[in-house]
Amino acid sequence: MPLPCQMHGLNNCLSSALIAAFGDAGINHNNVVQAAYEYVKMMMKLKEDVGHDGLKDIHKCIMERMKTDKAWKDEAKWHNGKNFEETMTKWMAAIEEGDEEKLHVMLNENYKNVPDPVFSRWTSVIKTLKVFIKNWTSIYFLAVTVKQSTLKQKSSLLASYANSLIGHMNTRPSQEKYNILLDGDNTEQKEIPPTLYAQGQWILAIGASFFERHFGFMMHYDAKFGKDSYGHVARLYPERVYAMHRDLKKLAEGGWKEDPNFAAYRKTVAKFPEAADGFNDEIIDGGRAFFANAERVFFDNFKSQFTKHVASCVRIPNPPPKVAPNTARLLPYMIGGHPDLAREFASWLFAAEEHGGDVDACDDGGVYDGFQHQFGKKEIVLD
């Protein structure tokens, strides 16, 4: 039986964990991946209707109105103040510097070569969310503009995409369920970031801290075999599984709380409210406890899927039920990997052959303990 594709296996870890934490994408689902999907579809339809240059002109008008229109600025500050501030700072800096290249990028990046975010399509979710989260405010007002321009065409496909996208992007805790009023007699509502914006920041942080680096390794070619060997990295895979397990364990045990890649997410979640008396915060899409629960669920699910789809190929002596029977077949490939690891592995195999005795002897945890072997001591740096 062939080994399962490890790129597919790692992608399963991410998609399964995200679905467990934030829900599946698709019609009648409300999460950041579905919102990004609606965004891509709206942009494709809009580009089809007005063309590339027309879309660029519309975007430029929106950016100018965000800069000058008080009503829009007030709504932007309430809707997502941090992203609005970042967007306008970059826009004004590019104008003042006369940097046409920066302006060109800002006017084009949110609708050029952005893939559909589909869980089963490797890396597409993260690629799309990078553009969606970065350009959140301008995309929101583009959807508002589309909605206003299609009021007489409520049944049109473009209007449907815009209405759905605005609904997703406006998801946030409702006032009666949360303690979100300022202290004292002031009834002005606190700034509460959009719920799905925080979801997107979490996914991007996972990508930057863990997923993209390790997934990129498996897509890369083996330096020894040349550029025609994309994906053929089995000889280096046992040590890569160690590195992935190490990094995942660190994040899951709280390391993400100190990881700079999660800084933006941490700042956003800190602005979310606690639940008001009588409400269960964990089941309301938006409060702090909701995200605390999502963080726990994400890592629990990711670790479980990692054991099943990835680590089982090299590091489980007695596989649990439903794990492929070819478990641990890749471990001998270590002999062709890192030279220091290969020598230690070969020495261990020789010692097992010479002194191992009963090769079926395992302890209660399924770990072979038929003999004692002393490994050498050397610091080996694995990325």
Side-chain angles (χ1 to χ4, degrees), residues 88-359:
M88 296 315 299
T89 297
K90 291 177 182 177
W91 177 253
M92 293 303 296
I95 291 176
E96 291 174 5
E97 295 168 8
D99 194 325
E100 294 296 327
E101 184 176 346
K102 284 184 180 178
L103 289 170
H104 176 78
V105 170
M106 291 188 72
L107 291 174
N108 285 273
E109 69 176 345
N110 69 353
Y111 57 87
K112 287 192 68 177
N113 303 317
V114 182
D116 287 351
V118 180
F119 281 131
S120 60
R121 191 173 299 160
W122 300 337
T123 73
S124 67
V125 168
I126 291 176
K127 284 181 180 178
T128 304
L129 287 181
K130 283 181 179 179
V131 178
F132 186 53
I133 297 301
K134 179 181 178 181
N135 297 281
W136 180 278
T137 301
S138 58
I139 290 171
Y140 173 76
F141 280 108
L142 179 58
V144 170
T145 302
V146 170
K147 178 181 178 179
Q148 292 174 345
S149 66
T150 57
L151 287 176
K152 296 180 180 180
Q153 310 171 44
K154 292 182 179 179
S155 61
S156 75
L157 186 58
L158 186 57
S160 175
Y161 287 142
N163 287 331
S164 180
L165 178 56
I166 291 169
H168 288 305
M169 297 181 80
N170 274 328
T171 300
R172 54 175 30 88
S174 57
Q175 181 167 320
E176 70 274 10
K177 295 178 181 178
Y178 288 94
N179 299 317
I180 60 177
L181 298 181
L182 295 176
D183 295 333
D185 296 329
N186 190 346
T187 58
E188 180 183 353
Q189 184 174 311
K190 290 181 180 180
E191 177 197 344
I192 307 297
T195 299
L196 306 194
Y197 185 73
Q199 291 183 6
Q201 288 179 314
W202 173 265
I203 296 172
L204 294 182
I206 290 293
S209 183
F210 178 87
F211 186 81
E212 290 180 292
R213 177 161 53 90
H214 292 303
F215 196 87
F217 166 84
M218 289 187 284
M219 293 180 65
H220 206 263
Y221 61 84
D222 188 315
K224 279 191 174 295
F225 301 137
K227 294 186 178 181
D228 291 331
S229 62
Y230 284 99
H232 294 271
V233 289
R235 72 185 185 90
L236 303 173
Y237 196 62
E239 61 197 56
R240 175 58 50 166
V241 169
Y242 162 78
M244 286 191 284
H245 179 266
R246 173 202 63 197
D247 295 348
L248 179 59
K249 184 173 184 290
K250 181 179 179 180
L251 289 175
E253 291 179 351
W256 69 269
K257 296 177 182 178
E258 304 296 331
D259 190 322
N261 290 306
F262 289 83
Y265 168 79
R266 293 193 297 266
K267 289 179 181 178
T268 298
V269 170
K271 295 180 180 179
F272 285 114
E274 302 287 355
D277 293 341
F279 290 96
N280 181 356
D281 195 16
E282 289 192 8
I283 63 172
I284 302 172
D285 293 347
R288 287 189 202 174
F290 168 80
F291 280 97
N293 183 65
E295 294 153 10
R296 178 187 59 77
V297 169
F298 176 88
F299 283 122
D300 285 350
N301 190 279
F302 201 112
K303 289 188 295 182
S304 174
Q305 295 299 314
F306 181 83
T307 297
K308 179 178 179 181
H309 294 292
V310 179
S312 62
C313 290
V314 296
R315 65 183 300 271
I316 302 181
N318 285 337
K322 298 184 180 180
V323 171
N326 49 23
T327 292
R329 281 179 54 188
L330 277 180
L331 187 58
Y333 281 59
M334 188 183 291
I335 207 75
H338 191 288
D340 292 321
L341 291 177
R343 280 191 287 270
E344 291 292 344
F345 185 60
S347 174
W348 178 73
L349 290 177
F350 177 79
E353 178 70 21
E354 290 293 307
H355 311 294
D358 182 4
V359 295

